[in-house]
Every structure is written in structure tokens, then in C-alpha cells.
Amino acid sequence: MTLLPAELNLTDLFAVIVDAVVACDERQRILLFNKSAEQIFGYTQDEVLSQPLDVLLPERFVEVHRRHFAEFAASPVASRAMGERRPIYARRKNGEEFPAEAAIVKLERAEERLFIVLLRDITQRQRIESELRAQAQQAAVAAERSRLARDLHDAVTQTLFSVSVIADVLPRIWERDPEEGRRRLKELRQLSRGALAEMRTLLLELRPSALMEANLSDLLRQLAASVNSRSGVEVDVQIEGETELSPDVKVSLYRIAQEALNNVAKHSNASHAQIMLTVRPTNNGLAGRQVHLVINDNGCGFDTTISKPTHIGLDIMRERAAAIGAQLDIRSAIGAGTTVHVEAVL
Amino acid sequence: MSNEINGESAAIRVMVVDDHPMVRSGLKALLSAYDDLEFAGEAGNGAEAIRLCDRLNPDVVLMDLVMPEMDGAAATRAIRQKHPQIKVVVLTSFKEDELVQGALQAGAIGYLLKNVSADELARAIRAAYAGRPRLPPRPPRCSFKPRLSPPSAAT
């Protein structure tokens, strides 16, 4: 059965094992308590010999532990990990509870049965894990903040700089050419409205719950104004039908439009884009509604067979569409603009 | 063009390089408001700026730093190498020492932040044209890092 020499003494082995090893009989009386167990629990072996296992448990678990132990003793299973899904808790001599991982092994010899419990104190590991989790969370928050700062820089500050420069020189321009002055004043109005739309769009990112509360047609108009302000692309918005939609549908459609328009602004070189949202009753006579969202542009387009999806946020759009059971279709070709089409039946 | 009243040779011809169209438009308005300044052309990135300099030979280039395809420092270096007579004034929202140093090493004669008034900017253009450097005041630390590598274009 084993290649180990027969003279290997288990007690010697237990003495050097880093896990606590506690052996007990069928009545849960402790028969062996190794060095590591002494260190982890704070008892000496002499203090716990013949004591019930209960002394090593928080009182509230004593009852359920007895039951589990009896079940295991009666079962044909020879070994089992305890608390497979979550850590169990044990109790030190000073009353302190600690999280642990443990396994139990049953040895049967004639009429006698021996149980060996192997237990590892995971206090330290849990602390490190939770620190790592906290760090990861902090890093995510920091990354999100710097993304917002970049967006503010890329968008709003550039627009406001232009606004301030035009406002500075507007009196001079007006004096010399009132027609041009009026044109620049109109530009000022557009730029400041655009900056406002961009601020609102960015504020939505800071408070996503606002996204759930707003009306989709308002959100899409704001998005259009914000993209126009940032990139100069003219964005028309056409809304048809009753656009009061459930929050998850609304958020998904908004995110898809946002991603599509980001591409238009960044990559398309388009002068014009369009957002069309249509909500109408399904034409198969059944109750329910059909939602179409189309975003297209007159830009340079791309070869759909070679463009990497991750580059242009296709993955994000696909995920969003899948989340609400919608069909997403992207058509484009070099020189022929791009159309993103989303269709869902609600 | 109102500048032509004074004769074209009198006005300083300024090219505008910025990836944000509304910034270019604002600067164009600015240039049109001063008799001694003239809008010579515009570019949306560094590579385009270099090509345009070959063609338009402006007196002064207003150069943004962080742009897609080719950034402002690289474009400044290339323009100054090919056309040593063209003066480059950097106009950016970033004030980190490392960006200022990079731009000056590339050959920029002025460095302005995107919070200057129109008059200050006009003065800086004139100073650059006359060969006088103009640098930013020592700024407080910026609270976020600029995106030094622009997003890659997919289309």
C-alpha cells in the first residue's frame, strides 16, 4: 500500500507539521495535540488531553459540530474537508475566534475508531486577501477618477478655452464686422451649450443612478450635443414613439449609442451623424414593443473583416445588446460610413 | 480679410495646430481680431502640421502638445529642423516640467497654458515672431497625468 518505511512514526511526523493536528476518539475526546496545535490554540497538550473537542470551538458551533461529527463517524466516507464553501471558525484558549481550514480523517481498527483533524489558521491569509481586495478597489476608483479627469480635459476645458478666447475678442470683431460678430456670438452660444451638455454627460458617469431615472430621448439628445461639442460632428437625433423604457434597456441602449458615437468622434472623420430611436408595438399582433436604435455616420468607415473588435468597443456594444436580448448589427466599409443597428423586442 | 488692408507683409502669419476643432475655431477668431496677426492655416495633428508648414511657410505655429498620430513635441522638432525660421509656440493645458522641457528641447520658443487671455496670446505670438522666448510661470503640480500616448485609431 505504501512505499514509506514501516518504522515511520506518525507522532514524530505530526510534531513537525505546520498545521494543527488533533486526534480524538469516537466520543470526541482529544488523544493527541501536536506542537502546531499548541501554538495555534494556546493550549498545551497536557491541558487538553481527554478534553472534548468542544473546547476548541466557539460555543455557538458546538451543537452543529457534534452533529456533523456523528454523521461523519457513521458514514462510509474515510475523509472529508470541513467547511468546503467557507472557512470554519475555531476558538483559542484566550477565547479569541479565528477562521480556519480543516479536514478530518477516520481510521478504523477493529472495534476502535480514531479521528485525526488537520487544521490551518487562515487569519493572516484572510487579512492579506482583504487588503488586496481593498487595494484593487482603490486602484479601480483611482483609474475611474483619472479617466474622468482626462475626459474633462479632453472635452470641457478645451471647449471653455475656446469660449473664453472668443469672448475676449468678440468686441473687436463686432466693431469691425457686425455680421461676423453675430456669427461668432452664435458660435459662443453653441460652444457653451455644448460644454454644458458635456458636463452633464460626465456627471452621469459620476452618478450612474441618474442614468436610470432620466428619459432615454433626453439622454440621447444630451449625448448628441456633447459629442458635437467635443468633435464638431453634427449629430441629428430622431425619436419616434413612447420612449419610457425599463432602466436596464435604457442604460444598455444609452451605452451602445455612447460607444458608437465615441467611435464616430474619434475615428470616423465624419461631418455628420444620426441617432434614430423608434419604439412601436410589435407587428405580430402580440403584446410587446419593438425597439430600434440606429447610429450612423458619413465618415471613412472601416473594413469589418479586419478591424479588431476591442479597438472600437464592439465587445462593449455586443455585451450591452446581449444583456437585454437585443440583436446588434454593425455595417461598414471603407469610404462608406458606419451604421450600428440595434433591435430588441420587449 | 481685414488684415489685407495693412498689406499682407505686415501681418504675422500664424498656423494653428490642435486636435480639437473648436479650439482651432476659437484661435481662428482670435487671429482675425488683431490687425497684425493673420490666420495662415490649421492642422489636427503633428504630421499634418509638418506637411502644411512645407506648403504655407507660416511665421509662427501655435502648437498643441498631446495629439493623436504625432504629438506636438515631435512635430516641433521636425518643423524646426526643416524650417528654422518658423517659430513654434506651444499652447497646451499641461504644465508638467517634463512636458515643458521636452517642448523647449524640441525647439519651441514659447510655452503657454490654455488659460491665457486673447491679448496675452497675441503678445506671445508677437514676441515669438521677434525671437523673444516666453515661458510659463512655475506652476503648482498638476493633479492628473496627461495621456501621453494618444488612443490608437482603428478605422
Side-chain angles (χ1 to χ4, degrees):
Chain A
M1 290 278 276
T2 173
L3 297 173
L4 292 171
E7 63 272 24
L8 178 73
N9 184 326
L10 273 186
T11 314
D12 290 347
L13 184 63
F14 292 159
V16 295
I17 271 181
V18 292
D19 290 339
V21 179
V22 180
C24 66
D25 63 15
E26 205 161 354
R27 290 158 60 198
Q28 298 197 39
R29 279 179 318 198
I30 295 172
L31 307 173
L32 178 146
F33 202 69
N34 77 341
K35 267 268 170 286
S36 294
E38 288 183 336
Q39 275 160 15
I40 290 169
F41 285 97
Y43 291 106
T44 63
Q45 175 165 253
D46 290 343
E47 285 176 298
V48 291
L49 279 186
S50 303
Q51 296 282 317
L53 266 185
D54 301 353
V55 300
L56 305 178
L57 296 170
E59 253 167 66
R60 62 184 192 285
F61 293 132
V62 166
E63 207 50 50
V64 66
H65 181 260
R66 285 214 169 140
R67 215 163 48 238
H68 285 165
F69 187 92
E71 275 166 25
F72 175 67
S75 81
V77 179
S79 69
R80 207 187 67 180
M82 294 184 210
E84 269 167 303
R85 284 199 201 91
R86 50 192 169 169
I88 58 160
Y89 286 88
R91 184 170 58 133
R92 301 189 217 276
K93 183 180 179 180
N94 64 11
E96 187 194 348
E97 284 183 24
F98 64 95
E101 274 174 359
I104 187 164
V105 179
K106 180 166 52 182
L107 300 173
E108 309 212 26
R109 197 168 41 184
E111 294 298 290
E112 229 183 328
R113 272 194 293 193
L114 180 69
F115 298 85
I116 299 173
V117 176
L118 292 138
L119 178 141
R120 180 171 300 177
D121 182 351
I122 59 168
T123 310
Q124 187 82 347
R125 196 180 80 200
Q126 279 199 338
R127 194 175 52 75
I128 291 167
E129 278 170 1
S130 84
E131 273 169 19
L132 286 176
R133 262 197 305 278
Q135 273 172 20
Q137 209 169 10
Q138 273 171 8
V141 169
E144 179 62 14
R145 279 204 190 134
S146 78
R147 193 182 66 79
L148 276 168
R150 262 205 318 268
D151 284 351
L152 276 169
H153 165 261
D154 281 351
V156 187
T157 59
Q158 306 287 344
T159 310
L160 291 179
F161 171 62
S162 191
V163 164
S164 77
V165 162
I166 295 173
D168 275 351
V169 296
L170 190 58
R172 279 167 177 271
I173 293 177
W174 204 293
E175 213 169 279
R176 155 179 322 183
D177 182 353
E179 198 50 47
E180 171 70 3
R182 264 188 286 277
R183 209 176 62 76
R184 289 295 182 185
L185 183 60
K186 190 177 163 209
E187 186 180 0
L188 262 190
R189 256 199 310 267
Q190 279 170 347
L191 284 171
S192 40
R193 280 195 191 136
L196 202 57
E198 289 195 78
M199 278 302 299
R200 291 208 174 115
T201 308
L202 290 171
L203 283 172
L204 281 179
E205 303 300 313
L206 284 174
R207 205 167 66 87
S209 64
L211 205 56
M212 317 263 242
E213 291 151 18
N215 185 289
L216 184 59
S217 55
D218 295 341
L219 289 174
L220 292 177
R221 287 200 178 91
Q222 183 178 300
L223 191 61
S226 141
V227 168
N228 173 248
S229 164
R230 194 174 348 138
S231 64
V233 181
E234 295 282 341
V235 187
D236 284 341
V237 183
Q238 284 176 34
I239 310 277
E240 206 182 295
E242 176 49 60
T243 58
E244 226 19 274
L245 299 165
S246 70
D248 54 334
V249 172
K250 189 163 65 183
V251 171
S252 289
L253 293 178
Y254 176 74
R255 292 296 184 200
I256 290 169
Q258 189 177 33
E259 203 56 48
L261 285 172
N262 270 345
N263 289 337
V264 173
K266 275 195 211 149
H267 308 302
S268 77
N269 244 331
S271 64
H272 224 90
Q274 238 184 339
I275 307 176
M276 284 172 288
L277 176 70
T278 316
V279 184
R280 53 167 77 101
T282 45
N283 44 21
N284 58 10
L286 298 170
R289 290 186 296 169
Q290 212 164 16
V291 180
H292 283 268
L293 174 68
V294 178
I295 300 103
N296 61 31
D297 67 71
N298 66 352
C300 59
F302 64 98
D303 186 339
T304 50
T305 57
I306 53 172
S307 221
K308 284 190 191 144
T310 49
H311 270 185
I312 50 173
L314 285 182
D315 287 349
I316 297 172
M317 290 195 264
R318 292 233 161 83
E319 270 170 38
R320 291 287 179 179
I324 55 167
Q327 294 284 331
L328 180 89
D329 182 31
I330 296 171
R331 279 180 210 160
S332 188
I334 302 287
T338 301
T339 302
V340 175
H341 189 268
V342 189
E343 188 177 345
V345 176
L346 306 175
Chain B
M1 267 276 168
S2 52
N3 290 332
E4 281 160 17
I5 299 165
N6 296 349
E8 221 169 295
S9 59
I12 303 170
R13 298 175 62 253
V14 182
M15 196 174 106
V16 173
V17 186
D18 199 298
D19 57 331
H20 293 90
M22 62 277 180
V23 171
R24 297 200 299 269
S25 174
L27 293 173
K28 197 170 169 181
L30 179 146
L31 293 169
S32 76
Y34 296 90
D35 288 335
D36 61 338
L37 305 179
E38 186 187 319
F39 173 78
E42 57 185 302
N45 64 59
E48 212 181 313
I50 296 169
R51 280 197 297 276
L52 225 58
C53 274
D54 292 344
R55 203 150 57 88
L56 301 173
N57 191 29
D59 298 313
V60 175
V61 176
L62 284 181
M63 179 76 79
D64 188 18
L65 279 188
V66 181
M67 289 182 291
E69 311 213 9
M70 184 194 271
D71 69 27
T76 300
R77 189 169 295 112
I79 290 170
R80 294 281 302 159
Q81 249 162 30
K82 260 177 136 175
H83 311 280
Q85 79 286 0
I86 298 180
K87 307 289 197 294
V88 178
V89 174
V90 166
L91 179 60
T92 175
S93 2
F94 298 111
K95 43 198 171 184
E96 276 87 349
D97 281 350
E98 125 197 18
L99 283 173
V100 178
Q101 290 312 321
L104 296 181
Q105 272 160 21
I109 193 169
Y111 194 107
L112 299 170
L113 294 176
K114 278 182 179 165
N115 58 9
V116 290
S117 69
D119 282 344
E120 280 172 87
L121 188 55
R123 274 199 296 277
I125 292 169
R126 292 179 198 121
Y129 181 63
R132 291 194 306 274
R134 195 159 282 226
L135 299 177
R138 300 278 306 175
R141 300 301 301 167
C142 191
S143 60
F144 67 93
K145 286 278 172 201
R147 179 168 55 205
L148 292 173
S149 49
S152 56
T155 51

